[in-house]
Amino acid sequence: FSIELYSLYAEAEYSICRFEEVGCAAEMVLKVAKSIQDKERVYATLVKSLGVENRLEDAIDTGFSYLSQLDVHCTSPPPDKSIVMNTLIDIKRTLEQMSHIEFLSHKVMKDTDKIAAMKFLHLLLLYTFFSKQNYFPTIIIQSLQLTLHHGICKESCVALASCSYFLCEFQDFKGSEHLGLLS
């Protein structure tokens, strides 16, 4: 049994919209895969497949399951709004204290598990925007915390831009502009 072959098979089935086959191939890979790295590709395909089928809650739950295996936890139910807002304000202040040059010289993310987590958080940003909106700020926070603690990656840009958008909802246009420029 080749994990890579079945993962590629799931991707091929996804590309031709045969989502039931994606689920079957993913199930086979997840049964035999021993490491989290062996599961990454098929989990990504499965989450995207569920999203395309408009099964957003299933996509989110599956993404959360994989993230927890990467030691990135999105609690269910989401934390109280006041906790989320206080955490977001703390992150925003930290980022506002950084100049563009300081931020750009921040270390690059190298931990492959954290990069994988950022990729899944990136996927989940879109899904939580349309379904389970109460998780949207939590996903932003997780992404920004990983960026601040482990370094910058491609997905950091999306996290910053999403936070910039979110701050507009609270009429924090100055903070939004700063984070938008960082992104």
Side-chain angles (χ1 to χ4, degrees), residues 166-182:
F166 191 71
L167 290 174
C168 285
E169 187 176 326
F170 298 98
Q171 313 238 329
D172 182 358
F173 301 117
K174 185 178 178 188
S176 174
E177 180 181 23
H178 183 75
L179 293 184
L181 290 170
L182 288 180

Side-chain angles (χ1 to χ4, degrees), residues 3-174:
I3 291 171
E4 186 176 359
L5 181 62
Y6 274 86
S7 296
L8 290 170
Y9 172 67
E11 286 179 16
E13 293 299 313
Y14 168 76
S15 72
I16 58 172
C17 301
R18 292 182 49 183
F19 305 120
E20 194 171 306
E21 284 297 314
V22 172
C24 292
E27 187 178 323
M28 292 172 63
V29 170
L30 296 174
K31 280 182 183 177
V32 299
K34 294 184 181 9
S35 74
I36 192 70
Q37 292 79 15
D38 286 343
K39 298 175 185 179
E40 179 182 347
R41 189 174 200 153
V42 79
Y43 259 116
T45 304
L46 181 58
V47 168
K48 289 187 277 187
S49 174
L50 292 167
V52 169
E53 289 184 282
N54 202 28
R55 294 174 51 194
L56 299 180
E57 291 190 11
D58 291 337
I60 292 165
D61 292 342
T62 302
F64 284 174
S65 173
Y66 182 71
L67 284 168
S68 69
Q69 294 175 53
L70 293 168
D71 203 28
V72 175
H73 303 282
C74 299
T75 59
S76 183
D80 183 64
K81 285 184 181 183
S82 63
I83 293 170
V84 169
M85 290 311 298
N86 288 335
T87 304
L88 198 56
I89 288 168
D90 289 344
I91 291 171
K92 182 189 82 125
R93 283 188 189 133
T94 300
L95 290 168
E96 284 179 330
Q97 292 171 0
M98 291 181 163
S99 70
H100 296 98
I101 294 170
E102 287 175 309
F103 185 75
L104 290 174
S105 63
H106 195 62
K107 65 185 173 188
V108 173
M109 190 178 292
K110 293 188 173 145
D111 182 326
T112 56
D113 286 348
K114 300 305 179 203
I115 293 169
M118 287 293 287
K119 288 177 183 179
F120 274 82
L121 289 166
H122 178 208
L123 274 175
L124 294 177
L125 273 169
L126 178 64
Y127 300 150
T128 57
F129 183 79
F130 291 111
S131 178
K132 292 189 173 185
Q133 291 89 4
N134 51 344
Y135 281 101
F136 184 70
T138 303
I139 300 299
I140 293 170
I141 289 168
Q142 289 283 8
S143 300
L144 292 176
Q145 286 175 334
L146 285 172
T147 296
L148 290 170
H149 294 117
H150 299 281
I152 298 171
C153 66
K154 291 186 287 188
E155 290 74 20
S156 299
C157 175
V158 176
L160 288 162
S162 298
C163 189
S164 174
Y165 164 80
F166 191 71
L167 290 174
C168 285
E169 187 176 326
F170 298 98
Q171 313 238 329
D172 182 358
F173 301 117
K174 185 178 178 188

